[in-house]
Amino acid sequence: MNTNLLWLIPTLPFAGFLINGTLGRKLPRGIVAAVALLFTAVPALIVADLWIYMKSAGAPLALSVRSCPWIAVSGFHVDFAFAVDHLTLIMLGVVTGVGFLIHVYSAGYMAHEEGYWRFFAYLNLFMFFMLVLVLSASFLLLFVGWEGVGLASYLLIGFYFTKDSAANAGKKAFIVNRIGDFGFLLAMFLIVAHFGSLDFHTVFANASTIPAPITAICLLLVLGATGKSAQIPLYVWLPDAMEGPTPVSALIHAATMVTAGIYMVARCHVLFDMSPTALAVVACIGAATAFFAATIGMVQHDIKRVLAYSTVSQLGYMFMACGVGAYSAGIFHLMTHAFFKALLFLAAGSVIHALSGEQDMRKMGGLRKRIPITFWTMTAGVFAIAGLPPLSGFFSKDEILLQTFSHGGSLYIFLWLVGLITAGLTSFYMFRLWFKTFFGPEHFDEHTHSLSAHGATVHSSKSSTLTLEAEPDNGHASHSQGVHESPLVMTVPLMVLALLATIGGIVGVPSAFGGHNEFEHFLEPVFASGNLPVHEAGSSMLAISLAIVSVLVALLGLYVAWLLYYRKPGLSRKLATSSGAAKGLYALLDHKYWVDEIYGRGIVAPLLASSRVLLNGLIDTGVVQGSVSLIAGTTGAVSSLTRRMQSGNIRSYAGWLALGAAAVIAVALFGHYPLH
Amino acid sequence: MVPTAYYLVLGAVLFCIGIASFLIRRSVITIFMSIELMLNAVNLTFVAFAHMWGQVSGQIFVFFVMVVAAAEAAVGLAIIIALFRVRQTLNVDQVNLLKN
């Protein structure tokens, strides 16, 4: 393996973006999809090759590919450099692997959409920026990728740009992320000011010797991470991001953008290890986000929104892991989460596809027999995220809970408890989704999903302007059956992901369960280089008893969901509409704690008002426009006066001449400027 | 001996008469004549100053001015004739060709 191929990994998706972005409009759909798939498959293969190479060649710690000097101003120097270590390798594997599967799925899911080429161009662009982010060897290049995925997410979330809600969701994601990026930028400025470099290696090597405001830097980095990874207080963009096509949600939620924050915190673990305050903040943010997002997820009706809040919640777990210094546990959960969340989203997309764009779970039900492949693959995802053994989510989540519990201190015991409750809530809302979608009576209207309506309602039911090809028998015989299973191109990625979600946890089975926790050992070279020794988790007795507790909690969640949504379907509605505490609680959750409203009233409205009055009214209209029209008006007035001088009358010209001469003489005689 | 100031005052008076008739009269010929009057008023002051300072340069300037005036008379009269042929008038208010 030649590591010089490294630069190809991000470059190829970019080439795909260029080809599809420039020529795609004229190319047939098959070629567009083939280009997009090829330019993501090859990087995935290169990553696989790299993986084998790193394993066989005694695993060198970091391969740096210094392509070229980038910025060199006196005393300050940044290279355009890529670096690979074990952490990068895992991220590369997740991004290219899961990303590729999502590309395959998209080829089927988007088959009837307008702007097919545009979609794949954006998708490749997303991959490109994410790979730059992961591969970068400096904060600056990381920031380039960081901003780039922000841009790509804006384009993809607002893909149905004629739909107001989609355009607004794109803007929301973009703007909220800019707030976080502001923190990231400030952190970079602080780093440059104190370390004189943005290179990871230089900064981390000197972190312990150079006195710098580490806590401030870390907290600003965390602010950036909360934006990108949708944590409190900047999580509000993620649920709205559901306006994009479903594969986009899968890509954003599972493999790319939102994992960037976790990756960044893990990457900067040397700095975080030096600041217990920052770590505690990270842990608290993570636990709070995990809990609150899970509670909101319990009452959502939109199938994709449940998954969105679930993502926010799971990312909270990862933050919690980072906050207790268990970075490898966080990355482990990131990886398994990429498997099962991508699976869940794509399966949800398959359900939506089957129902021709229906996303409301109240209009589903009884789909188990109708779309069996989707049902079984999704079941694997649901059980994995609910944390039931031996699926992947069980091992990764338990590792985090164990690390939190054994971190020591009452704060962390409390955080563990929050995490445990969240695990129960997770189990509840996921099984609620499962029962509501696949079991019980059918609530959907077969007729509206039949042949005639299909062409006009595919995927973007709310927007008739975006649909196309109202040709039902255009090679899609399956569509004539109303509710239908998705084509192979969509179900195969589902099956692969279901397999990964089921067995993906094997790599991280801790010794307490007879494994070797290979995942943690694999990442040891990266995280052991920090100032703290890798945290030794408690005894295996503790691990086993904690695992039993969390499995019981997950089963409890399953039981409650079964009771409410399968055994006694009307009960949940009764609870929600009954008087008393339950009703208030339901309203609170249903309105998502009114956070959007609080932000709207507290931040957006005052900002808008002050912009309108102060910036628009006073500064813009008054000062800027005023001064401009003052200059224009004065010039106009003067010219309209002087214009009369040009009468064409020779004697009046002579008169002006004489007047001027007289004026010159007068100035010479009486003024301060004598002529001599 | 007549003081220099007298000549200067006479020059100024002649010059103002020239300017006034230039501004007031409409006939191109009269305007032309008033220009000549102004030139001669200036000539008079030149000669007066030359005499006062006992220098010859003022006198020489007068010759230059008279040469230019003669040339101007030749060219100017030609222009006036050409103008009359085109416009059939010598009233300057009706020949504002330069406007617009």
Side-chain angles (χ1 to χ4, degrees):
Chain A
M1 168 70 191
N2 189 348
T3 53
N4 290 332
L5 284 179
L6 203 59
W7 64 272
L8 270 177
I9 298 175
T11 315
L12 284 175
F14 191 67
F17 158 69
L18 284 183
I19 293 173
N20 272 340
T22 51
L23 307 172
R25 187 195 288 269
K26 299 191 182 82
L27 295 174
R29 292 184 172 222
I31 292 182
V32 168
V35 165
L37 285 176
L38 184 71
F39 283 101
T40 28
V42 175
L45 292 178
I46 295 176
V47 170
D49 199 17
L50 197 64
W51 200 292
I52 295 166
Y53 169 75
M54 292 264 281
K55 277 245 171 192
S56 63
L61 250 181
L63 314 162
S64 287
V65 177
R66 299 201 173 272
S67 309
C68 54
W70 187 14
I71 298 174
V73 191
S74 62
F76 177 72
H77 182 85
V78 182
D79 272 334
F80 199 93
F82 291 150
V84 173
D85 61 5
H86 298 79
L87 174 61
T88 313
L89 206 52
I90 286 172
M91 289 299 290
L92 282 178
V94 169
V95 173
T96 56
V98 177
F100 173 68
L101 290 174
I102 293 170
H103 272 66
V104 174
Y105 177 93
S106 306
Y109 187 85
M110 301 297 286
H112 308 287
E113 297 280 354
E114 207 171 304
Y116 196 69
W117 57 280
R118 198 161 56 86
F119 181 78
F120 277 104
Y122 292 165
L123 224 50
N124 274 2
L125 185 69
F126 211 137
M127 293 286 287
F128 162 68
F129 279 123
M130 191 64 198
L131 290 170
V132 167
L133 191 159
V134 169
L135 277 168
S136 67
S138 67
F139 281 101
L140 198 59
L141 196 55
L142 179 86
F143 192 67
V144 170
W146 189 270
E147 291 300 294
V149 290
L151 166 72
S153 71
Y154 165 75
L155 291 172
L156 281 170
I157 293 167
F159 181 73
Y160 300 123
F161 57 86
T162 52
K163 220 165 78 179
D164 268 352
S165 57
N168 287 336
K171 275 190 280 184
K172 191 171 179 183
F174 196 78
I175 292 166
V176 172
N177 267 295
R178 293 291 79 70
I179 301 170
D181 296 342
F182 178 65
F184 195 174
L185 265 179
L186 289 181
M188 282 209 294
F189 294 155
L190 276 180
I191 289 170
V192 171
H194 287 92
F195 295 98
S197 170
L198 284 172
D199 193 57
F200 284 141
H201 188 73
T202 319
V203 172
F204 297 153
N206 295 324
S208 51
T209 53
I210 294 179
I214 298 285
T215 303
I217 292 174
C218 289
L219 288 178
L220 287 169
L221 286 176
V222 170
L223 180 62
T226 55
K228 200 63 63 181
S229 288
Q231 298 293 293
I232 288 175
L234 297 179
Y235 71 93
V236 288
W237 65 271
L238 193 66
D240 283 27
M242 295 301 97
E243 292 290 342
T246 307
V248 172
S249 311
L251 194 61
I252 292 179
H253 281 242
T256 57
M257 184 158 161
V258 296
T259 60
I262 316 291
Y263 170 74
M264 190 257 274
V265 172
R267 173 58 72 202
C268 304
H269 69 98
V270 179
L271 300 179
F272 280 91
D273 283 342
M274 290 170 65
S275 169
T277 322
L279 278 181
V281 169
V282 172
C284 292
I285 286 178
T289 311
F291 177 74
F292 283 111
T295 55
I296 298 172
M298 284 162 53
V299 297
Q300 296 297 311
H301 294 301
D302 186 322
I303 184 167
K304 280 170 75 183
R305 274 182 191 267
V306 176
L307 294 177
Y309 280 106
S310 146
T311 302
V312 177
S313 173
Q314 297 298 312
L315 288 165
Y317 272 115
M318 297 173 210
F319 260 76
M320 203 161 91
C322 291
V324 296
Y327 303 104
S328 59
I331 298 293
F332 184 32
H333 196 55
L334 187 156
M335 185 185 82
T336 58
H337 177 256
F339 297 152
F340 57 68
K341 188 49 64 69
L343 166 64
L344 286 169
F345 262 114
L346 297 184
S350 183
V351 169
I352 294 165
H353 186 259
L355 297 177
S356 306
E358 184 56 67
Q359 299 193 8
D360 194 331
M361 288 193 297
R362 285 170 295 194
K363 296 181 183 156
M364 295 178 184
L367 285 168
R368 189 177 62 232
K369 296 268 167 51
R370 313 292 287 265
I371 43 175
I373 301 177
T374 306
F375 167 69
W376 283 110
T377 50
M378 193 154 189
T379 303
V382 169
F383 277 75
I385 194 175
L388 292 171
L391 283 84
S392 58
F394 166 72
F395 293 110
S396 55
K397 183 152 58 183
D398 248 35
E399 183 70 19
I400 293 174
L401 290 176
L402 172 66
Q403 296 271 6
T404 310
F405 186 82
S406 52
H407 191 71
S410 51
L411 171 68
Y412 294 97
I413 303 284
F414 174 71
L415 292 183
W416 167 80
L417 193 65
V418 172
L420 188 70
I421 296 169
T422 307
L425 298 178
T426 307
S427 167
F428 168 75
Y429 67 68
M430 285 316 297
F431 281 110
R432 167 178 178 267
L433 180 148
W434 194 56
F435 283 122
K436 283 191 91 154
T437 310
F438 293 111
F439 294 87
E442 298 177 354
H443 296 296
F444 52 87
D445 185 358
E446 184 90 34
H447 184 69
T448 59
H449 302 304
S450 65
L451 168 85
S452 58
H454 195 93
T457 56
V458 159
H459 309 316
S460 50
S461 56
K462 286 172 200 152
S463 156
S464 57
T465 54
L466 279 166
T467 52
L468 75 163
E469 286 186 10
E471 307 162 42
D473 36 31
N474 187 17
H476 291 278
S478 61
H479 285 174
S480 57
Q481 300 160 5
V483 178
H484 54 275
E485 183 60 278
S486 303
L488 266 184
V489 69
M490 288 164 69
T491 47
V492 169
L494 283 182
M495 293 181 226
V496 176
L497 283 170
L499 187 71
L500 286 172
T502 310
I503 63 165
I506 285 178
V507 293
V509 178
S511 48
F513 298 102
H516 301 288
N517 209 346
E518 281 176 43
F519 195 88
E520 200 173 321
H521 291 305
F522 184 73
L523 281 175
E524 242 166 34
V526 181
F527 296 124
S529 63
N531 301 69
L532 294 179
V534 171
H535 192 72
E536 283 300 327
S539 65
S540 50
M541 257 319 282
L542 180 67
I544 289 174
S545 40
L546 285 184
I548 290 171
V549 171
S550 65
V551 168
L552 286 178
V553 167
L555 286 175
L556 181 70
L558 167 60
Y559 172 73
V560 175
W562 175 80
L563 194 69
L564 286 181
Y565 297 101
Y566 188 72
R567 188 84 179 77
K568 297 173 181 166
L571 194 57
S572 60
R573 182 67 17 214
K574 240 180 269 169
L575 271 177
T577 50
S578 70
S579 57
K583 188 185 178 188
L585 191 64
Y586 180 82
L588 184 68
L589 297 181
D590 196 31
H591 290 92
K592 305 158 214 160
Y593 297 100
W594 282 282
V595 166
D596 273 332
E597 285 78 4
I598 291 170
Y599 281 5
R601 297 268 161 72
I603 299 173
V604 178
L607 262 181
L608 273 182
S610 63
S611 311
R612 282 197 186 113
V613 174
L614 207 68
L615 294 180
N616 185 26
L618 204 70
I619 307 276
D620 205 40
T621 315
V623 177
V624 178
Q625 207 180 327
S627 59
V628 168
S629 41
L630 185 72
I631 292 171
T634 314
T635 315
V638 168
S639 71
S640 74
L641 273 179
T642 52
R643 196 162 52 226
R644 295 183 191 167
M645 285 167 63
Q646 202 210 3
S647 58
N649 189 331
I650 190 165
R651 291 175 310 136
S652 79
Y653 290 165
W656 287 117
L657 195 74
L659 205 65
V664 169
I665 290 169
V667 168
L669 283 181
F670 308 111
H672 298 286
Y673 306 101
L675 277 181
H676 55 76
Chain B
M1 187 178 171
V2 184
T4 312
Y6 284 27
Y7 293 103
L8 294 184
V9 170
L10 178 61
V13 169
L14 284 175
F15 193 83
C16 288
I17 292 171
I19 285 184
S21 64
F22 184 97
L23 292 179
I24 293 166
R25 304 306 293 261
R26 291 190 177 142
S27 163
V28 180
I29 304 283
T30 322
I31 287 174
F32 207 64
M33 280 156 62
S34 54
I35 292 173
E36 298 296 321
L37 189 62
M38 284 190 276
L39 286 172
N40 277 325
V42 172
N43 279 348
L44 185 62
T45 54
F46 268 130
V47 171
F49 280 127
H51 182 259
M52 186 176 105
W53 297 109
Q55 287 193 339
V56 80
S57 52
Q59 315 265 11
I60 293 172
F61 258 107
V62 171
F63 279 111
F64 279 116
V65 172
M66 283 165 74
V67 168
V68 170
E72 185 205 334
V75 175
L77 282 172
I79 291 174
I80 289 170
I81 291 166
L83 190 67
F84 184 74
R85 282 195 182 150
V86 174
R87 307 290 287 199
Q88 299 297 323
T89 178
L90 285 179
N91 189 332
V92 286
D93 286 348
Q94 291 171 17
V95 291
N96 48 359
L97 290 170
L98 282 180
K99 194 177 182 184
N100 303 325

